[in-house]
Amino acid sequence: MFPLDFPLRILEKKAKPGESVLDPFCGRGTTNFAARILGLFSLGVDSNPVAVAITEAKLVNARAENIVKEAETILHEVQVDALPEGEFWQWAYHPTVLTSLCKWRKALLEDCHSMERKALRGIILGALHGPQPKYSASYFSNQCPRTYAPKPRYALNFWKKHKLHPKPVDVIEIVRKRAERFYAYQHESIGEVKLGDSRQLETLRPKNTNIKFHWVITSPPYYGMRTYLADQWLRLWFLGGPPWVEYRAINQFCHQNPHDFVKDLTTVWNHVASLCDRQANMVIRFGGIPARKINHLDLIHESLKDTPWQIINILPAGSAADGLRQANSFLRQKTQAQIEHDIWAKLK
Ligand SMILES: C[S@@+](CC[C@H](N)C(=O)[O-])C[C@H]1O[C@@H](n2cnc3c(N)ncnc32)[C@H](O)[C@@H]1O
């Protein structure tokens, strides 16, 4: 996940009014949100339903008080017959919290069409798991990493060892605080987000097919990072998935070998080029993971070789480990990320 500052700085400095932005691997919609702040049209695409639901929430127009009202109405009106079973669920959430989550899950699976419900779904996904602060709670779960869901066996051992029991947090207060923070001021939303595979050209086409993109700001999957879906198993459960970790990778990139991975990237860069304005710029934030001893810049060079894109600059972007402090507090082994780069390209 890259910080908002990254796409915002680029677009603020360089984009002209009326230009359009594409992110073919939008993740949590950071690029789309930056475009929205600046009043630019954007399209985000991702094959992970969690990414799409969160991006969608960043693109709706909703008022904080209406989102909270919707959350309260669901809790009053919806009944649930059963909660997910097993020790993990007993330790992950206090029973009253889990009941509220199940009510929201049921209601939002039945109907998530209104702006308020889309916003509420994004807020709940964001608050589903994370660290427990000393004072007022910001997350529904017992102590957890925020960016990824822990594997049940490891989490159980951790909670039991540290005698950490789930707390009966005020779920509406958590929703209210987040709604007030995220929907405090309104920028008109002119963005679009699609669930799909960016290797398919059709997926990358906006509804208005006359639109040509002037900016592509994106961060593709890092080679060897195969857990984008498994790491989000709790959020996928909230979106209708099973209450256990699933190791499937539908519509995700091929990580078997560098050759196939590069081929996937090339396909996307070619599709993207065909939807861009002649003067378009593309900025790719890319890095590697220590487990794969391969230079990520070699992969990017190779992926752009047989495409209409020409690299014009490569800048170091710091290390992905800079943002990993909170996740590390839950891990036995400290995570180390390789250095990342921003690769700037233009159409030839
Ligand atoms: C490095 S992350 C993007 C992070 C994003 N920049 C952010 O700030 O949240 C890469 C994303 O690519 C998505 N992805 C992987 N394979 C894909 C495919 N074939 N089509 C579309 N998205 C894909 C993953 O689900 C993941 O969300």
Side-chain angles (χ1 to χ4, degrees), residues 1-3 23-31 45-48 51 196-199 218-222 228-229 251-253 255 268 285:
M1 192 172 142
F2 49 54
D23 186 345
F25 308 101
C26 68
R28 294 167 165 239
T30 318
T31 295
V45 173
D46 205 290
S47 56
N48 182 343
D197 187 338
S198 292
R199 292 167 295 187
T218 194
S219 180
Y222 290 7
Y228 287 109
L229 284 165
N251 287 342
Q252 291 277 313
F253 260 40
H255 294 268
V268 177
R285 178 156 290 186

Side-chain angles (χ1 to χ4, degrees), residues 3 27-28 31 42 57 62 70 84 86 89 160 169 173 175 182-183 210 212 227 229 257 259 272 305 324 332 336 338:
R28 294 167 165 239
T31 295
S42 75
E70 191 67 32
W89 291 93
K160 286 180 181 175
V169 293
E173 205 37 47
V175 169
F182 300 140
Y183 296 92
N210 293 325
K212 288 269 176 202
T227 53
L229 284 165
N257 58 71
H259 177 76
V272 165
K305 207 175 62 187
L324 286 177
R332 256 166 306 177
Q336 279 185 353
Q338 277 178 14

Side-chain angles (χ1 to χ4, degrees), residues 126-201:
L128 207 52
H129 50 82
Q132 288 206 332
K134 281 211 181 78
Y135 306 107
S136 86
S138 311
Y139 295 94
F140 302 130
S141 69
N142 199 342
Q143 178 74 14
C144 272
R146 171 177 59 84
T147 46
Y148 65 90
K151 300 295 173 291
R153 198 175 329 146
Y154 181 72
L156 268 174
N157 285 340
F158 180 88
W159 293 325
K160 286 180 181 175
K161 183 173 156 207
H162 295 276
K163 297 190 173 45
L164 290 170
H165 291 275
K167 297 199 174 102
V169 293
D170 183 342
V171 291
I172 287 293
E173 205 37 47
I174 292 176
V175 169
R176 184 192 316 280
K177 272 196 297 193
R178 285 174 177 255
E180 283 169 359
R181 178 148 46 99
F182 300 140
Y183 296 92
Y185 54 97
Q186 297 288 322
H187 303 278
E188 201 212 340
S189 183
I190 43 173
E192 211 180 301
V193 56
K194 284 197 197 175
L195 176 65
D197 187 338
S198 292
R199 292 167 295 187
Q200 311 292 327
L201 176 60

Side-chain angles (χ1 to χ4, degrees), residues 210-234:
N210 293 325
I211 289 176
K212 288 269 176 202
F213 296 105
H214 303 84
W215 290 93
V216 182
I217 305 180
T218 194
S219 180
Y222 290 7
Y223 179 57
M225 188 80 182
R226 284 181 298 181
T227 53
Y228 287 109
L229 284 165
D231 278 351
Q232 298 301 330
W233 75 270
L234 265 174

Side-chain angles (χ1 to χ4, degrees), residues 32 35-36 40-44 59 188-193 207:
N32 305 86
R36 177 182 184 172
L40 303 171
F41 171 81
S42 75
L43 169 65
L59 290 177
E188 201 212 340
S189 183
I190 43 173
E192 211 180 301
V193 56
K207 276 191 210 122

